[in-house]
Amino acid sequence: GADSSSSNNNNNNNKGGDDAPEDIQTVMRRFQERASVAVVTDDERGNADQLAQEDGDGDDDDSRDNETKPVSKRKQRELSRPSVADLKRRVKRADLVEAHDVTAADPDFLICLKGVPGTVPIPRHWGRKRKYLQGKRGIEKAPFQLPDFIIKTGITELRDAVQEDESKMSAKQKNRSRVAPKSGAIDVDYRTLHDAFFKYQTKPTNLTDFGDLYYEGKEFETRTDIKPGGELSSTLREALGMTSESSPPPWLINMQRYGPPPSYPNLKIPGLNGPLPNESCQYGYHTGGWGKPPVDAFGRPL
């Protein structure tokens, strides 16, 4: 037992002796690292700071690029809007598309609503900075004129007579008439008024159509509604080269070849689907001729 204990002690001493130099070396190395002080000048310190700052800026830029910036709701709406060309391409009524239609919440549904028959369009002055009818401030308004069916009742003559009598009154008489006015000064027969409003009343000609809106200068425009058919004036005949009353119109041959205008399929045109204007007119392709005579579906002349 004594031999074994002595051998253990010897082994422990040997291990401690082997580890001691390593521990001492590590401790001495740490002291040497702390004690080693490098002499740095001011210029070197400034260059080091600048390099460190540049490295820091580069890291910041990289971190900014790596981070995704949040997109605002307005930017998202602008990115999701279709272009005018795309909207025209995917709707049925491309002629109704306007530049501001792409800003709607649902542009396709908006164009669909605008294409419904009988839809009243939104007035065009909604998006203008200028106020509605702002330019009519300096224009003098024309005095109102009574319709003809009211003038025929004779009310204007009675009113003029009363005004003439009032102009001859003195100031005292005018004040007395204001305090105690006399009734029955302007009396028109009830039957005359009834006939004027229920018999002879006419519809005004300057009324706007359904969905139309009044705009500045609309009352000064002339109506240029061209109705098909009718007599040609002498000036128009001369411009078309129709020298006489029996000369055919220049469009007759093409109408006989291609048919009547598509907008007026039931329009009666002389020489096409109607009789010739007079007896001196003749069918044929000679000078002054009215072309091919009209025939039915079986080729029989009408």
Side-chain angles (χ1 to χ4, degrees):
D3 294 337
S4 63
S5 63
S6 62
S7 63
N8 290 334
N9 290 332
N10 292 331
N11 292 335
N12 291 334
N13 293 333
N14 293 334
K15 290 180 181 178
D18 295 339
D19 295 338
E22 294 180 1
D23 294 340
I24 293 172
Q25 289 178 1
T26 55
V27 172
M28 293 297 293
R29 192 181 299 113
R30 289 179 182 177
F31 276 105
Q32 289 175 359
E33 290 176 357
R34 291 180 181 179
S36 62
V37 178
V39 179
V40 181
T41 60
D42 295 337
D43 296 337
E44 293 176 352
R45 187 180 293 110
N47 295 332
D49 294 341
Q50 186 176 0
L51 292 173
Q53 185 176 3
E54 291 177 357
D55 294 339
D57 294 340
D59 296 341
D60 293 341
D61 294 338
D62 296 339
S63 61
R64 289 172 188 169
D65 294 338
N66 294 331
E67 293 178 359
T68 57
K69 295 181 180 179
V71 182
S72 61
K73 292 184 178 179
R74 181 177 180 181
K75 193 68 176 178
Q76 290 177 359
R77 288 197 303 268
E78 292 178 356
L79 293 175
S80 62
R81 287 175 187 170
S83 62
V84 178
D86 294 338
L87 186 59
K88 284 186 176 182
R89 198 178 297 113
R90 68 191 193 193
V91 296
K92 294 182 179 179
R93 295 288 305 275
D95 57 318
L96 299 177
V97 178
E98 296 177 342
H100 52 264
D101 290 339
V102 296
T103 62
D106 192 349
D108 299 82
F109 184 60
L110 175 62
I111 303 302
C112 181
L113 289 180
K114 291 172 70 173
V116 175
T119 303
V120 179
I122 298 175
R124 291 190 174 274
H125 64 267
W126 69 268
R128 297 177 181 172
K129 294 182 180 180
R130 185 176 180 179
K131 294 183 179 180
Y132 181 57
L133 301 181
Q134 187 177 5
K136 291 184 66 67
R137 291 182 178 178
I139 300 177
E140 294 183 1
K141 189 177 180 180
F144 175 74
Q145 293 182 354
L146 289 174
D148 293 336
F149 65 91
I150 296 180
I151 295 176
K152 290 178 181 178
T153 59
I155 188 69
T156 55
E157 288 82 359
L158 294 176
R159 187 176 59 180
D160 293 339
V162 171
Q163 290 179 355
E164 186 178 355
D165 293 340
E166 288 182 355
S167 62
K168 296 178 181 179
M169 290 183 182
S170 61
K172 189 175 182 180
Q173 289 175 341
K174 289 181 180 179
N175 294 332
R176 190 181 301 163
S177 63
R178 289 195 191 98
V179 174
K182 294 181 180 179
S183 60
I186 303 178
D187 280 342
V188 182
D189 184 26
Y190 175 77
R191 193 69 189 174
T192 305
L193 290 176
H194 178 274
D195 292 344
F197 286 97
F198 292 94
K199 243 183 176 182
Y200 308 114
Q201 185 176 7
T202 57
K203 186 179 180 180
T205 57
N206 56 352
L207 295 179
T208 56
D209 297 332
F210 176 75
D212 286 351
L213 183 71
Y214 176 80
Y215 50 87
E216 297 180 17
K218 189 175 183 179
E219 68 273 14
F220 303 115
E221 292 182 352
T222 57
R223 298 181 66 89
T224 57
D225 296 339
I226 301 175
K227 296 181 180 180
E231 295 292 334
L232 300 179
S233 62
S234 58
T235 307
L236 183 57
R237 281 179 167 277
E238 184 179 356
L240 294 175
M242 301 170 64
T243 56
S244 63
E245 294 292 333
S246 61
S247 298
W251 56 80
L252 179 63
I253 303 299
N254 287 332
M255 284 189 179
Q256 290 176 352
R257 186 179 303 168
Y258 302 110
S263 301
Y264 308 100
N266 300 323
L267 179 64
K268 294 296 181 182
I269 300 175
L272 179 65
N273 51 9
L276 297 178
N278 51 53
E279 296 180 355
S280 60
C281 301
Q282 294 180 358
Y283 288 108
Y285 293 97
H286 59 278
T287 304
W290 285 71
K292 181 181 177 182
V295 295
D296 58 5
F298 300 99
R300 294 174 294 189
L302 297 175

